[in-house]
């Protein structure tokens, strides 16, 4: 160990902040509820009871359930909802070249977000096999060449996947620029998914959905890499302030892996038996300051429950909060629509409670020392992160004493890894510091900033924004 800077300092413990067991709401983390998606069905109606996992598929054969504004607002206001996710089609946001035209459903969802004061996130799909409409293209682009795709519900016929022509990229780029102009500076927009390639915009093409005479280049790795690289560039130019989230499938391409090295976030859509080691590696090998999004828990009416006789291969959706936190996620998604969230809140509140104990980051100073070398004084913080994953960005710690403010910036990229153990961080104080020090924190995620609650229960409250320390 190198010679310690603390050997020549005096020190005195001045505070201790124990960890909180409460759910601490903070930016860049939490439980996600979908307000609008291509799965606007209610699989919790009586006629689907007892079908287990089959209820999800059967529900798509029943008429769509479009939630009312009151249902959306109820989900947005739910105590465990931190972020409201909109998973929409291109045609839901644009109908004419050069302008955005938000559908009434999207407007309702965004109004619910604004009223609730929660954050929101967005994915725009250019193709969805689960959407009732055959095409997600705006009508003015119906002339773009497309491949036919088998849908989830055979009774709805074929869906259309736009091919990746120059015209396609031209109009997708224009659309993304319009989105960025309207929403990128919105402080409540937490992240935007990279999209525009593959089914559901997820970066993959399942061959079983395509006919044999479709463009073979859909499966050409070189062409795929070029397309993903181009879409990443379009997205990064449109959204300069908001974190970009890649699906794990995008990371199969060199362009996706390069974006990870630059700080892109990672998402896995189906975090269950389909989760693979290479997908786990995407999340584990991202930049330490990047976020992780884990979708989607589908709450069923008759879940299998773990018993002493369950084998080690047993799995239930009730296990998924723990599995997602084991991977290390900042955001965990529950359900595909408001009906799912409301059903889970009523029938399986333990889903949310399991997330609440571990999800995201939970930072606090543990022991706080007043240290000095005879000329200068510092507040030395034994910072700890009790969450399951690191801080998704840069954390600025600010100390205010006698009207003087001092700051220090920490990032997991700079080896300030506080997960599960103490990291010493020093904040300078005025030479004659005395009385009370006010400690606060702010998180910067790309171009977005927000205050952070400390994950402690103390005299300042549960999860306070400001800690008071007597020096």
């Amino acid at each position: 160990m190198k010679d310690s800077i603390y050997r020549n300092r005096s020190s005195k413990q001045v505070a201790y902040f124990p960890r909180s067991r409460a759910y601490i709401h903070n930016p860049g983390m939490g439980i996600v509820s979908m307000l609008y998606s291509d799965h606007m069905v209610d699989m919790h109606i009586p006629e689907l009871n007892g079908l287990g996992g089959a209820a999800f598929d059967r529900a798509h054969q029943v008429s769509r359930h479009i939630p009312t504004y009151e249902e959306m607002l109820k989900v947005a206001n739910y105590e465990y909802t931190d972020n409201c996710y909109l998973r929409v089609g291109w045609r839901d946001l644009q109908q004419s070249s050069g302008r955005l035209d938000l559908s009434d459903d999207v407007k309702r969802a965004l109004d619910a977000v604004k009223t609730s004061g929660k954050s929101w996130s967005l994915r725009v799909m250019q193709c969805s096999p689960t959407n009732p409409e055959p095409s997600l293209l705006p009508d003015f682009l119906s002339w773009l060449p497309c491949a036919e795709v088998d849908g989830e519900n055979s009774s709805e016929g074929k869906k259309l996947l736009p091919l990746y022509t120059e015209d396609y990229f031209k109009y997708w780029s224009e659309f993304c620029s319009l989105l960025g102009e309207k929403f990128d500076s919105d402080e409540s927009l937490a992240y935007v998914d990279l999209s525009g390639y593959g089914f559901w915009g997820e970066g993959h093409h399942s061959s079983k959905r395509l006919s044999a005479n479709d463009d073979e280049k859909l499966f050409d790795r070189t062409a795929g890499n070029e397309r993903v690289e181009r879409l990443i560039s379009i997205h990064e130019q449109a959204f300069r302030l908001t974190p970009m989230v890649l699906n794990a499938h995008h990371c199969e391409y060199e362009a996706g892996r390069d974006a990870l090295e630059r700080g892109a976030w990672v998402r896995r859509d189906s975090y269950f038996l389909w989760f693979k080691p290479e997908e786990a590696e995407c999340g584990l090998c991202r930049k330490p300051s990047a976020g992780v999004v884990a979708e989607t828990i589908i709450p069923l009416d008759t879940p299998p429950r773990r018993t002493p006789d369950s084998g080690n291969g047993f799995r239930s959706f009730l296990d998924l909060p723990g599995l997602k936190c084991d991977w290390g996620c900042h955001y965990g998604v529950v359900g595909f629509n408001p009906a799912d969230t409301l059903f889970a809140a009523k029938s399986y509140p333990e889903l949310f409670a399991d997330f609440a104990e571990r999800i995201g980051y939970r930072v606090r100073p543990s022991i706080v020392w007043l240290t000095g070398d005879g000329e200068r004084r510092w507040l030395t913080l034994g910072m700890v992160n009790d969450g399951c994953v690191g801080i998704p960005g840069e954390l600025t710690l600010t100390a205010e004493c006698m009207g003087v403010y001092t700051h220090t910036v920490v990032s997991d990229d700079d080896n300030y890894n506080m997960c599960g153990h103490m990291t010493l961080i020093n904040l300078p104080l005025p030479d004659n510091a005395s009385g009370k020090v006010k400690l606060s924190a702010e998180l910067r995620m790309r171009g977005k900033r927000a205050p952070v609650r400390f994950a402690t229960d103390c005299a300042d409250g549960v999860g306070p924004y400001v800690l008071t320390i007597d020096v």
Side-chain angles (χ1 to χ4, degrees):
M1 183 182 76
K2 65 181 181 180
D3 192 32
S4 171
I5 62 172
Y6 301 103
R7 295 186 192 280
N8 298 317
R9 289 189 191 180
S10 61
S11 67
K12 179 179 72 170
Q13 288 191 20
V14 291
Y16 168 66
F17 296 97
R19 74 183 181 96
S20 175
R21 289 172 170 79
Y23 187 36
I24 307 297
H25 299 274
N26 262 323
M29 58 159 282
I31 299 170
V32 180
S33 297
M34 289 199 195
L35 291 195
Y36 194 79
S37 78
D38 49 329
H39 296 284
M40 301 307 284
V41 296
D42 187 351
M43 64 178 188
H44 313 291
I45 55 180
E47 52 263 44
L48 299 180
N49 284 349
L51 293 180
F56 180 72
D57 295 325
R58 289 284 295 277
H60 286 81
Q61 300 171 22
V62 182
S63 60
R64 298 184 83 199
H65 174 76
I66 303 299
T68 64
Y69 173 76
E70 288 72 25
E71 288 174 310
M72 289 183 177
L73 186 59
K74 185 175 182 180
V75 168
N77 281 330
Y78 180 48
E79 61 177 318
Y80 284 119
T81 295
D82 293 278
N83 179 273
C84 301
Y85 189 39
L86 277 64
R87 173 173 152 154
V88 302
W90 188 348
R91 66 182 298 116
D92 292 316
L93 301 178
Q94 187 180 29
Q95 284 300 320
S96 304
S97 179
R99 51 177 277 189
L100 295 179
D101 306 280
L102 307 189
S103 72
D104 289 341
D105 291 331
V106 170
K107 290 177 180 177
R108 268 204 318 275
L110 289 176
D111 188 55
V113 171
K114 183 176 180 180
T115 301
S116 70
K118 303 292 179 69
S119 69
W120 65 290
S121 49
L122 177 68
R123 186 202 305 185
V124 183
M125 301 172 291
Q126 89 291 359
C127 171
S128 167
T130 46
N131 216 71
E133 297 88 359
S135 173
L136 294 184
L137 290 173
D139 288 341
F140 80 96
L141 294 178
S142 60
W143 55 270
L144 286 176
C146 295
E148 288 192 333
V149 175
D150 290 333
E152 291 282 297
N153 183 359
S154 58
S155 66
E156 293 178 347
K158 297 284 188 178
K159 311 300 180 184
L160 297 179
L161 170 72
L163 299 179
Y164 308 108
T165 63
E166 283 301 313
D167 283 327
Y168 170 77
F169 281 109
K170 170 188 171 182
Y171 286 102
W172 181 261
S173 178
E174 175 197 86
F175 168 64
C176 289
S177 294
L178 292 169
L179 274 183
E181 289 172 9
K182 183 172 181 63
F183 294 119
D184 190 32
S185 61
D186 182 350
E187 291 294 336
S188 66
L189 179 60
Y191 61 86
V192 178
D193 293 342
L194 175 70
S195 191
Y197 188 63
F199 302 146
W200 298 284
E202 293 174 357
H204 62 84
H205 302 90
S206 172
S207 59
K208 68 180 182 180
R209 296 186 183 276
L210 292 160
S211 59
N213 61 353
D214 277 321
D215 183 0
E216 291 184 1
K217 281 197 170 184
L218 287 175
F219 307 101
D220 181 275
R221 303 299 297 177
T222 300
N225 186 68
E226 292 171 354
R227 292 162 180 163
V228 170
E229 183 175 38
R230 194 166 178 180
L231 288 167
I232 289 173
S233 176
I234 289 170
H235 187 109
E236 289 179 328
Q237 290 179 48
F239 292 95
R240 298 179 181 275
L241 304 176
T242 307
M244 173 180 67
V245 182
L246 304 186
N247 190 297
H249 290 290
H250 292 118
C251 304
E252 296 171 10
Y253 297 97
E254 182 179 356
R257 295 190 292 273
D258 288 346
L260 282 188
E261 293 181 3
R262 296 196 301 272
W265 290 23
V266 180
R267 183 187 79 249
R268 179 59 171 103
D269 285 326
S270 299
Y271 192 92
F272 200 52
L273 298 177
W274 307 273
F275 190 56
K276 300 176 181 178
E278 60 265 30
E279 294 164 350
E281 188 177 46
C282 285
L284 299 174
C285 293
R286 76 194 191 286
K287 286 188 73 171
S289 64
V292 176
V293 181
E295 298 182 9
T296 298
I297 298 176
I298 304 175
L300 304 174
D301 66 315
T302 54
R305 291 187 177 272
R306 188 176 295 276
T307 69
D309 297 326
S310 299
N312 291 334
F314 176 86
R315 198 71 53 80
S316 163
F317 78 80
L318 295 173
D319 295 316
L320 288 180
L323 291 172
K324 292 172 185 286
C325 291
D326 289 345
W327 187 34
C329 69
H330 295 88
Y331 286 103
V333 184
V334 177
F336 273 117
N337 51 58
D340 284 347
T341 302
L342 295 174
F343 174 79
K346 178 181 178 181
S347 302
Y348 303 106
E350 64 266 35
L351 262 182
F352 301 96
D354 286 349
F355 262 140
E357 291 181 4
R358 298 178 60 198
I359 195 168
Y361 64 95
R362 299 171 64 89
V363 295
R364 63 183 169 94
S366 173
I367 301 173
V368 180
W369 293 269
L370 179 65
T371 62
D373 63 3
E375 296 182 359
R376 294 166 297 175
R377 307 180 85 187
W378 293 269
L379 200 65
T380 299
L381 310 173
M383 291 295 296
V384 176
N385 178 359
D386 298 311
C388 71
V389 71
I391 300 165
E394 291 183 346
L395 188 72
T396 298
L397 294 165
T398 298
E400 184 273 320
C401 182
M402 302 170 62
V404 177
Y405 292 82
T406 58
H407 315 273
T408 191
V409 178
V410 298
S411 167
D412 286 355
D413 291 341
D414 301 322
N415 295 319
Y416 283 103
N417 184 356
M418 310 170 196
C419 278
H421 59 80
M422 185 181 290
T423 297
L424 296 179
I425 296 173
N426 292 284
L427 275 164
L429 293 177
D431 294 342
N432 60 343
S434 63
K436 297 185 183 299
V437 176
K438 300 288 187 180
L439 181 68
S440 59
E442 180 185 70
L443 178 66
R444 182 176 74 84
M445 298 174 291
R446 206 167 185 193
K448 306 288 179 76
R449 295 178 179 272
V452 170
R453 293 179 173 90
F454 293 104
T456 182
D457 299 347
C458 62
D460 295 299
V462 177
Y465 283 112
V466 178
L467 297 176
T468 305
I469 301 164
D470 290 313
V471 296

